[in-house]
Each structure stands twice: as structure tokens, then as C-alpha cells.
Amino acid sequence: MFHKNLKSNNAFTLAEVLLVLGIIGIIAAITIPLLIHNYRAKVLHTKLMKANSIISQAAMFMKADDIDLGDAISNKKYEVFESYFKNGNCELPKNAKEAGYKNYSGTRNAYEASAQSLVHPYCLFDGMILWFCEFHWFNSGVLFAVDIDGWKFGSNRYGHDVFFWYYDFDKQAVVALGPGVFSSGENSGYDFYDKCPGKPEAEQGIACTVKAINDENYFKNLPK
């Protein structure tokens, strides 16, 4: 009788088991979404660094081959650029409108921007999409945009998964777009060129690339 009672006293009751499972469920509900969020942020940062490397290396190789980037850009010789990028053979949108890009806050359609438009999408390695940016009133350089997530995935928002690089004709160099890259003169009245993210206009988030590259917590803190 003594051993039988001891065994009975050491067993968990149904109420205790349910309580433990409830606690585990609450902890899981709190921690799993955070783990997924942090993992997603890490993936995006890795993709951005890869895009930065692809853009920089291509510009370096073109310069080494004495490619006149100014002429190629001015005359829309996109095939010159494409020959320096591996084609990822992914599905491409017809235009930026079909891709559905929005500004950083998600409040404006990015393709309605008055300063520039995204043209001639090209599929890069790993499903990323390279866009060429046509400026309607700015001729001293050119922008490249990369959708690091592909147009059918992610948020499709400037500064979230669409980032920009600037090619300076005078310096013959490609740099990530960020505050101070080209914020003077014609562009001085547009704070989204000199701030990340800037005011909630159509191009808000266009100058976030530098911050996203250098700040490891950038993607963790993006607004929904």
C-alpha cells in the first residue's frame, strides 16, 4: 500500500499538465513570431549586401573594360549593363506599375513619382530584379534600383525591399544612395533624397540604402 500511494502522489494531474501546456503555448506565441521576424530581417540584410556587391562589381568590371557608361546610360543601351549581370531567368513585371511598388510608408504608389521612373526590369541572380531609373530633370548621374525580394514577394516598398544606387558620371563610381549623395541644387527641396525615410511622398525611402547596409538592426525596425 505504501508504494502504491507514493506512485500516485508523484504523478501529474490533468489540471497541472494543461497548465504547463498553456504556459508553453503562451511562450511560443510570444517568441516564435519574434524569431521569424528576426530571421526575415537577417535574410533581407544578406540579400541587400549581395545586391550591393553585384552592382559594385559590375561597375568595376565595366570601368576596367573602358565601357563609356555615360554614353550607355544616356542612349539607353541597357544590353551593355545586362552583359555584366548573370540572368536569373525569373518572371518579370511589364512595368513598375504592375510590380506595385509603394513608398516607405506604403501610403503612395512609387511609380507616381515625378522625379524618376523605373524602367527595363532585368532578372538578377537569386530572383532579384534590377531596374534602371530615368530622371526627367536630373542629368549628372543615374540611379539603379534593385528589388531584393522579387516583385511577387515581400512588401515591394522603397527602403523595405527596394533599394537604390547612384552612378556618378564625374567620379565614375557607383555608390549606395543615402543622405548627402545628391541633395544639393535641383534636389535640395526634396528631403526624401537627404533623409531616411523622409516625408511620405511617392519617393519616400529612396535614400535608405546606406542606412540599411550599415545598420544591422535596420530591417528589424521597419514599420508594418
Side-chain angles (χ1 to χ4, degrees):
M1 291 295 293
F2 174 76
H3 292 290
K4 188 174 182 180
N5 288 337
L6 181 62
K7 181 177 180 181
S8 176
N9 290 337
N10 287 338
F12 291 107
T13 66
L14 177 60
E16 290 173 330
V17 172
L18 292 176
L19 177 61
V20 172
L21 291 176
I23 293 173
I24 293 174
I26 292 173
I27 294 174
I30 295 173
T31 58
I32 291 178
L34 180 61
L35 290 173
I36 294 174
H37 176 76
N38 290 340
Y39 174 75
R40 171 68 175 162
K42 181 66 176 179
V43 168
L44 286 174
H45 187 262
T46 299
K47 288 184 176 182
L48 176 60
M49 298 303 292
K50 184 183 293 185
N52 187 55
S53 177
I54 290 173
I55 293 291
S56 300
Q57 288 183 10
M60 180 180 66
F61 291 147
M62 283 186 263
K63 185 176 181 180
D65 291 341
D66 294 323
I67 299 296
D68 187 343
L69 292 181
D71 173 70
I73 292 169
S74 299
N75 292 290
K76 301 180 180 179
K77 298 178 181 179
Y78 301 125
E79 68 279 359
V80 173
F81 293 90
E82 292 172 0
S83 65
Y84 285 85
F85 298 106
K86 181 179 179 180
N87 193 326
N89 296 309
C90 61
E91 183 180 354
L92 293 169
K94 297 176 182 177
N95 48 48
K97 183 175 182 179
E98 183 181 26
Y101 295 130
K102 293 185 178 295
N103 64 353
Y104 181 92
S105 299
T107 57
R108 294 279 302 275
N109 292 321
Y111 57 81
E112 295 175 351
S114 60
Q116 55 82 31
S117 58
L118 305 181
V119 297
H120 200 79
Y122 179 79
C123 186
L124 297 177
F125 174 74
D126 203 24
M128 295 186 288
I129 298 177
L130 170 70
W131 294 86
F132 300 93
C133 307
E134 288 188 331
F135 268 66
H136 304 308
W137 42 254
F138 188 69
N139 298 314
S140 59
V142 70
L143 290 183
F144 304 95
V146 177
D147 180 348
I148 62 175
D149 240 2
W151 67 291
K152 287 192 173 182
F153 304 95
S155 59
N156 287 340
R157 284 155 64 174
Y158 287 7
H160 285 236
D161 51 4
V162 181
F163 293 92
F164 292 79
W165 286 259
Y166 175 67
Y167 178 76
D168 189 308
F169 289 161
D170 297 328
K171 297 180 181 178
Q172 295 187 358
V174 171
V175 295
L177 199 60
V181 173
F182 61 97
S183 58
S184 60
E186 295 173 281
N187 305 306
S188 59
Y190 302 94
D191 84 324
F192 46 79
Y193 284 123
D194 203 34
K195 294 179 181 179
C196 173
K199 295 178 181 179
E201 300 184 35
E203 291 180 86
Q204 179 197 36
I206 201 171
C208 288
T209 308
V210 168
K211 185 176 181 180
I213 289 174
N214 296 322
D215 184 356
E216 292 185 358
N217 293 317
Y218 176 85
F219 290 101
K220 294 181 182 179
N221 299 321
L222 287 175
K224 293 183 179 180

